[in-house]
Amino acid sequence: VHFAKGDSWNGMTAINLVFEAGVRWLLSESLAYDFYRRAGQAAPRTEFVRLVVDGQSVPFHLLIEQPNKAFLRKHRRRDDGDLYKATWAGDGIEGTHEKRTHRRTGHGNLVRLVESLENAKDQPEEQWKIIRREFDTEQVINHYAVRTLLSDWDGFFNNYFLYHDVEGTKKWTFFPWDQDKTWGEYDGWEQNGPLYEMPMNYGAEGDHPPGEPGGQPSTSYGFRDWWRAGGVISRPLLANPIFRRHFLARLKELLDTEFTGERIGPMVDALKAKLEDEVKSGSPQSNRSPDDAVRSFESHLASYKEFVARRRAFLLKQPEVKNAGPFRRGDVQ
């Protein structure tokens, strides 16, 4: 939904209204964006809304803010840079990064960025200099740390907006998008179990799904229904040993402070208080009785709390996390 030029709603000029296949995806989206904000990241605003179409009440929907120039201004960024949306349905850098602003100027800056990272892959110190020069490094470290915590298997090559502040800081930053397949969910998760153990090397150059031998290019679809090879930016950054040291330190810090049952439990409980009456109405899933809809809703809420506990336990056992030092913000700028 695009509002009329010069008009907006709560500072937003474009929104998405979604229901998709079921209540869980709405809950996951809302919780994920909320967690990004708790981790200090700029993320789209969400609201649950009652919707009436042609006089008929339809299931409650999730309103999601669309990253655009108004979004950039709200988060105190210049709005005259290059904004790209990463997609899976394309080939090459240009095909998988849809340009949303300055479409006529092409993808030259992005192509040069990716090439510079690739050319320095055997020179970690030089590559780290490029990373620090080109990226808002603390923001990008934070971005990948949250992706990893949420087992966001679909978000390293896809499901992000990438912004280049061409005239200001000259830096590249990320914004999350399409967060329905987070908190352990993937196609088939109800049969095979949630994704508590997404590997620590996920999204990095040289990553491989469990059980696939190393020494060969990683398959894009190689393990159950969640494995994806990393993206053109995640692969070099997450494999760079200096970037990775800071990434692990921030991951550990978030495990200690924000990704805990004590912090996320109240977020889940707040969703129950907000939506329980809507679910009881039976409208979100018309093929279910109100009692069945409520039981399913409560089961989803409980699964988020279980995911946090089991994902934390898995990550805290990993040697890389155990040995991570303190996150020193001044060292990454």
Side-chain angles (χ1 to χ4, degrees):
V1 178
H2 294 269
F3 297 109
K5 188 174 182 179
D7 201 358
S8 64
W9 182 76
N10 286 346
M12 294 180 277
T13 60
I15 61 172
N16 287 40
L17 281 172
V18 299
F19 186 79
E20 300 187 86
V23 172
R24 184 182 178 86
W25 287 357
L26 275 66
L27 300 174
S28 295
E29 293 257 17
S30 176
L31 281 171
Y33 289 127
D34 195 1
F35 185 70
Y36 269 100
R37 284 187 289 274
R38 286 177 178 242
Q41 295 286 86
R45 175 179 174 176
T46 62
E47 297 282 357
F48 288 96
V49 297
R50 295 190 180 104
L51 199 59
V52 176
V53 179
D54 295 332
Q56 297 294 317
S57 177
V58 298
F60 65 87
H61 278 52
L62 182 66
L63 179 154
I64 307 174
E65 181 179 15
Q66 181 76 212
N68 58 12
K69 289 185 177 182
F71 173 86
L72 293 168
R73 290 192 297 270
K74 187 171 75 172
H75 291 285
R76 299 180 181 178
R77 287 170 169 82
R78 293 178 65 115
D79 66 359
D80 55 354
D82 291 340
L83 184 66
Y84 304 84
K85 182 183 179 183
T87 71
W88 60 270
D91 296 318
I93 296 172
E94 295 187 17
T96 56
H97 288 80
E98 174 191 336
K99 201 168 188 188
R100 290 297 185 90
T101 59
H102 309 300
R103 291 178 173 88
R104 295 181 180 179
T105 62
H107 290 64
N109 287 342
L110 180 56
V111 171
R112 284 188 288 274
L113 172 69
V114 173
E115 288 178 346
S116 68
L117 293 169
E118 174 66 19
N119 292 337
K121 67 180 181 181
D122 295 324
Q123 306 170 65
E125 293 281 353
E126 182 60 30
Q127 191 182 57
W128 173 241
K129 290 179 183 178
I130 295 169
I131 293 169
R132 291 183 71 182
R133 183 182 71 233
E134 297 290 342
F135 291 95
D136 180 344
T137 318
E138 182 179 339
Q139 192 272 342
V140 176
I141 288 168
N142 218 16
H143 176 87
Y144 283 128
V146 174
R147 293 271 189 201
T148 301
L149 290 169
L150 298 182
S151 287
D152 186 4
W153 55 271
D154 206 17
F156 290 78
F157 79 107
N158 185 32
N159 291 346
Y160 60 82
F161 279 81
L162 181 63
Y163 181 64
H164 186 202
D165 185 357
V166 179
E167 301 296 335
T169 65
K170 317 292 186 185
K171 304 284 189 178
W172 296 82
T173 53
F174 284 92
F175 306 114
W177 187 246
D178 198 358
Q179 295 290 288
D180 54 354
K181 296 297 182 67
T182 50
W183 307 96
E185 183 174 346
Y186 57 93
D187 294 340
W189 73 280
E190 290 180 294
Q191 292 74 42
N192 298 317
L195 183 54
Y196 301 121
E197 299 184 356
M198 191 181 85
M200 287 296 301
N201 67 339
Y202 194 87
E205 192 72 54
D207 58 354
H208 287 273
E212 182 183 89
Q216 61 187 35
S218 174
T219 57
S220 292
Y221 301 88
F223 187 74
R224 291 188 176 171
D225 293 303
W226 57 264
W227 184 267
R228 302 291 186 274
V232 293
I233 296 177
S234 78
R235 288 198 303 266
L237 266 60
L238 289 171
N240 180 276
I242 306 171
F243 182 95
R244 189 164 189 82
R245 184 174 73 244
H246 296 300
F247 156 75
L248 291 165
R250 178 56 176 156
L251 184 76
K252 179 64 160 51
E253 184 177 67
L254 286 170
L255 282 166
D256 291 340
T257 58
E258 293 295 337
F259 195 72
T260 68
E262 291 76 15
R263 293 289 288 164
I264 293 177
M267 295 165 56
V268 175
D269 294 339
L271 283 179
K272 181 177 181 180
K274 180 180 291 187
L275 296 175
E276 190 169 27
D277 288 343
E278 303 295 327
V279 174
K280 284 179 180 177
S281 71
S283 61
Q285 295 167 314
S286 58
N287 62 329
R288 289 186 169 187
S289 69
D291 287 344
D292 284 344
V294 170
R295 279 193 291 269
S296 175
F297 173 64
E298 292 179 344
S299 175
H300 290 318
L301 295 178
S303 76
Y304 294 120
K305 295 181 180 181
E306 182 180 8
F307 173 81
V308 173
R310 295 186 62 173
R311 182 68 176 151
R312 281 190 88 248
F314 170 78
L315 291 171
L316 289 170
K317 287 191 302 184
Q318 304 310 303
E320 281 190 300
V321 176
K322 285 183 177 181
N323 297 326
F327 183 58
R328 304 186 188 281
R329 286 160 177 77
D331 293 345
V332 302
Q333 297 300 327

